[in-house]
Coordinates of all heavy atoms in Angstrom, one line a residue:
N441 N 25.2 11.7 -26.9 CA 24.5 10.6 -26.3 C 23.1 10.4 -26.8 O 22.6 9.3 -27.1 CB 24.4 10.8 -24.8 CG 25.8 10.7 -24.1 OD1 26.6 9.9 -24.6 ND2 26.0 11.4 -23.0
E442 N 22.4 11.6 -27.0 CA 21.1 11.5 -27.6 C 21.1 11.0 -29.0 O 20.2 10.2 -29.4 CB 20.4 12.9 -27.6 CG 20.1 13.4 -26.2 CD 19.6 14.8 -26.2 OE1 19.6 15.5 -27.3 OE2 19.1 15.3 -25.1
A443 N 22.1 11.4 -29.8 CA 22.2 10.9 -31.1 C 22.4 9.4 -31.1 O 21.8 8.6 -31.9 CB 23.3 11.6 -31.9
G444 N 23.3 8.9 -30.2 CA 23.6 7.5 -30.1 C 22.3 6.7 -29.6 O 22.0 5.7 -30.1
Q445 N 21.6 7.3 -28.7 CA 20.4 6.7 -28.2 C 19.4 6.6 -29.3 O 18.7 5.6 -29.5 CB 19.9 7.4 -27.0 CG 20.7 7.3 -25.8 CD 20.2 8.1 -24.6 OE1 19.2 8.8 -24.8 NE2 20.8 8.1 -23.4
R446 N 19.2 7.8 -30.1 CA 18.3 7.7 -31.2 C 18.7 6.7 -32.2 O 17.8 6.0 -32.8 CB 18.2 9.1 -31.8 CG 17.4 10.1 -31.0 CD 17.1 11.4 -31.8 NE 18.2 12.1 -32.3 CZ 18.8 13.0 -31.7 NH1 18.4 13.4 -30.5 NH2 19.9 13.7 -32.1
E447 N 20.0 6.6 -32.5 CA 20.4 5.6 -33.5 C 20.1 4.2 -33.0 O 19.6 3.4 -33.7 CB 21.9 5.8 -33.7 CG 22.4 4.8 -34.8 CD 23.9 5.0 -35.0 OE1 24.5 5.9 -34.4 OE2 24.5 4.3 -35.9
A448 N 20.5 4.0 -31.7 CA 20.2 2.6 -31.1 C 18.7 2.4 -31.1 O 18.2 1.2 -31.4 CB 20.8 2.5 -29.7
S449 N 17.9 3.4 -30.7 CA 16.4 3.2 -30.7 C 15.9 2.9 -32.1 O 15.0 2.1 -32.3 CB 15.8 4.5 -30.1 OG 14.4 4.3 -30.1
T450 N 16.4 3.7 -33.1 CA 16.0 3.5 -34.5 C 16.3 2.1 -35.0 O 15.5 1.4 -35.6 CB 16.6 4.5 -35.4 OG1 16.3 5.8 -34.9 CG2 16.1 4.4 -36.8
T451 N 17.6 1.6 -34.6 CA 18.0 0.3 -35.0 C 17.1 -0.8 -34.4 O 16.6 -1.7 -35.0 CB 19.5 0.1 -34.7 OG1 20.2 1.1 -35.3 CG2 19.9 -1.3 -35.1
A452 N 16.9 -0.6 -33.0 CA 16.0 -1.5 -32.3 C 14.6 -1.5 -32.9 O 14.0 -2.5 -33.0 CB 16.0 -1.2 -30.8
L453 N 14.1 -0.3 -33.2 CA 12.8 -0.2 -33.8 C 12.7 -0.9 -35.1 O 11.7 -1.6 -35.4 CB 12.4 1.3 -33.9 CG 11.0 1.6 -34.4 CD1 9.9 1.0 -33.4 CD2 10.7 3.1 -34.5
L454 N 13.7 -0.7 -35.9 CA 13.7 -1.4 -37.2 C 13.7 -2.9 -37.1 O 13.0 -3.6 -37.7 CB 14.9 -1.0 -38.0 CG 14.9 0.5 -38.6 CD1 16.2 0.8 -39.3 CD2 13.7 0.7 -39.6
K455 N 14.5 -3.4 -36.1 CA 14.6 -4.8 -35.8 C 13.2 -5.3 -35.3 O 12.7 -6.3 -35.7 CB 15.7 -5.1 -34.8 CG 17.1 -5.0 -35.4 CD 18.1 -5.3 -34.3 CE 19.5 -5.1 -34.9 NZ 20.5 -5.5 -33.9
E456 N 12.6 -4.5 -34.4 CA 11.3 -4.8 -33.9 C 10.3 -4.8 -34.9 O 9.4 -5.7 -35.0 CB 11.0 -3.8 -32.8 CG 9.7 -4.2 -32.0 CD 9.4 -3.1 -31.0 OE1 10.2 -2.2 -30.7 OE2 8.3 -3.3 -30.4
K457 N 10.3 -3.8 -35.9 CA 9.3 -3.8 -37.0 C 9.5 -5.0 -37.9 O 8.5 -5.6 -38.3 CB 9.5 -2.5 -37.8 CG 9.1 -1.3 -37.0 CD 7.6 -1.3 -36.7 CE 7.1 0.0 -36.1 NZ 5.7 0.0 -35.8
Q458 N 10.8 -5.4 -38.2 CA 11.0 -6.5 -39.0 C 10.5 -7.8 -38.3 O 9.8 -8.6 -39.0 CB 12.5 -6.6 -39.3 CG 12.9 -7.7 -40.3 CD 12.3 -7.5 -41.7 OE1 12.1 -6.4 -42.1 NE2 12.0 -8.6 -42.4
A459 N 10.8 -7.9 -37.0 CA 10.3 -9.1 -36.3 C 8.8 -9.1 -36.2 O 8.2 -10.1 -36.3 CB 10.9 -9.1 -34.9
H460 N 8.2 -7.9 -36.1 CA 6.8 -7.8 -36.0 C 6.2 -8.2 -37.3 O 5.1 -8.9 -37.4 CB 6.4 -6.4 -35.6 CG 4.9 -6.2 -35.5 ND1 4.2 -6.8 -34.5 CD2 4.0 -5.4 -36.1 CE1 2.9 -6.5 -34.5 NE2 2.8 -5.7 -35.5
I461 N 6.8 -7.8 -38.5 CA 6.3 -8.1 -39.8 C 6.4 -9.6 -40.0 O 5.4 -10.3 -40.5 CB 7.1 -7.4 -40.9 CG1 6.8 -5.9 -40.8 CG2 6.8 -7.9 -42.3 CD1 7.7 -5.0 -41.7
E462 N 7.5 -10.2 -39.6 CA 7.6 -11.7 -39.7 C 6.6 -12.4 -38.8 O 6.0 -13.4 -39.2 CB 9.1 -12.1 -39.3 CG 10.1 -11.6 -40.3 CD 11.5 -11.9 -39.8 OE1 11.6 -12.5 -38.7 OE2 12.5 -11.6 -40.6
S463 N 6.4 -11.8 -37.6 CA 5.4 -12.4 -36.7 C 4.0 -12.3 -37.3 O 3.2 -13.3 -37.2 CB 5.5 -11.8 -35.3 OG 4.5 -12.3 -34.5
L464 N 3.7 -11.1 -37.9 CA 2.4 -11.0 -38.5 C 2.2 -11.9 -39.7 O 1.1 -12.5 -39.8 CB 2.2 -9.5 -39.0 CG 2.0 -8.5 -37.8 CD1 2.0 -7.1 -38.5 CD2 0.8 -8.8 -37.1
E465 N 3.3 -12.1 -40.5 CA 3.1 -13.1 -41.6 C 2.9 -14.5 -41.1 O 2.0 -15.2 -41.6 CB 4.4 -13.0 -42.4 CG 4.6 -11.7 -43.2 CD 5.9 -11.7 -44.0 OE1 6.7 -12.6 -43.8 OE2 6.0 -10.7 -44.8
E466 N 3.6 -14.8 -40.0 CA 3.5 -16.2 -39.4 C 2.1 -16.3 -38.8 O 1.4 -17.3 -39.0 CB 4.5 -16.4 -38.3 CG 4.5 -17.8 -37.7 CD 4.9 -18.8 -38.7 OE1 5.6 -18.5 -39.7 OE2 4.6 -20.0 -38.4
K467 N 1.6 -15.2 -38.1 CA 0.3 -15.2 -37.5 C -0.8 -15.3 -38.6 O -1.8 -16.0 -38.4 CB 0.1 -14.0 -36.6 CG 0.9 -14.0 -35.3 CD 0.6 -12.8 -34.5 CE 1.3 -12.8 -33.2 NZ 1.1 -11.5 -32.4
H468 N -0.5 -14.6 -39.7 CA -1.5 -14.6 -40.8 C -1.6 -16.0 -41.4 O -2.8 -16.5 -41.7 CB -1.1 -13.6 -41.9 CG -2.1 -13.5 -43.0 ND1 -3.3 -13.0 -42.8 CD2 -2.0 -13.8 -44.3 CE1 -4.0 -13.0 -44.0 NE2 -3.2 -13.4 -44.9
R469 N -0.5 -16.6 -41.5 CA -0.5 -18.0 -42.1 C -1.2 -18.9 -41.1 O -2.1 -19.7 -41.5 CB 0.9 -18.5 -42.3 CG 1.0 -19.9 -43.0 CD 2.4 -20.2 -43.3 NE 3.2 -20.3 -42.0 CZ 3.2 -21.3 -41.2 NH1 2.5 -22.4 -41.5 NH2 4.0 -21.3 -40.1
H470 N -0.9 -18.8 -39.8 CA -1.6 -19.6 -38.8 C -3.1 -19.3 -38.7 O -3.9 -20.2 -38.5 CB -0.9 -19.4 -37.4 CG 0.4 -20.1 -37.3 ND1 0.6 -21.4 -37.5 CD2 1.6 -19.5 -37.0 CE1 1.9 -21.7 -37.3 NE2 2.6 -20.5 -37.0
S471 N -3.4 -18.0 -38.9 CA -4.8 -17.6 -38.8 C -5.6 -18.2 -40.0 O -6.7 -18.6 -39.8 CB -4.9 -16.1 -38.9 OG -4.3 -15.5 -37.7
R472 N -4.9 -18.2 -41.2 CA -5.6 -18.8 -42.4 C -5.9 -20.3 -42.1 O -6.9 -20.8 -42.4 CB -4.8 -18.6 -43.6 CG -4.8 -17.2 -44.2 CD -4.4 -17.1 -45.6 NE -3.1 -17.7 -45.8 CZ -1.9 -16.9 -45.7 NH1 -2.0 -15.6 -45.5 NH2 -0.8 -17.5 -45.9
E473 N -4.8 -21.0 -41.6 CA -4.9 -22.4 -41.4 C -6.0 -22.7 -40.3 O -6.9 -23.5 -40.4 CB -3.6 -23.0 -40.9 CG -2.5 -23.0 -42.0 CD -1.2 -23.5 -41.5 OE1 -1.1 -23.7 -40.3 OE2 -0.3 -23.6 -42.3
A474 N -5.9 -21.8 -39.2 CA -6.9 -22.0 -38.1 C -8.3 -21.7 -38.6 O -9.3 -22.3 -38.2 CB -6.5 -21.1 -36.9
L475 N -8.4 -20.7 -39.5 CA -9.7 -20.3 -40.0 C -10.3 -21.4 -40.9 O -11.5 -21.7 -40.7 CB -9.6 -19.0 -40.8 CG -10.8 -18.4 -41.4 CD1 -11.8 -18.1 -40.3 CD2 -10.5 -17.2 -42.3
E476 N -9.5 -22.0 -41.7 CA -10.0 -23.1 -42.5 C -10.4 -24.3 -41.6 O -11.5 -24.9 -41.8 CB -8.9 -23.5 -43.5 CG -8.5 -22.5 -44.6 CD -9.7 -22.2 -45.5 OE1 -10.6 -23.1 -45.7 OE2 -9.8 -21.1 -46.0

Side-chain angles (χ1 to χ4, degrees):
N441 291 330
E442 290 178 354
Q445 291 176 359
R446 286 197 297 271
E447 183 180 0
S449 177
T450 304
T451 304
L453 183 61
L454 289 174
K455 291 181 180 180
E456 184 179 356
K457 291 293 184 183
Q458 184 64 31
H460 185 62
I461 290 171
E462 293 176 357
S463 176
L464 287 175
E465 291 178 352
E466 184 68 19
K467 288 181 179 179
H468 184 64
R469 184 175 62 80
H470 287 302
S471 297
R472 286 199 302 270
E473 293 176 356
L475 182 61
E476 293 297 330

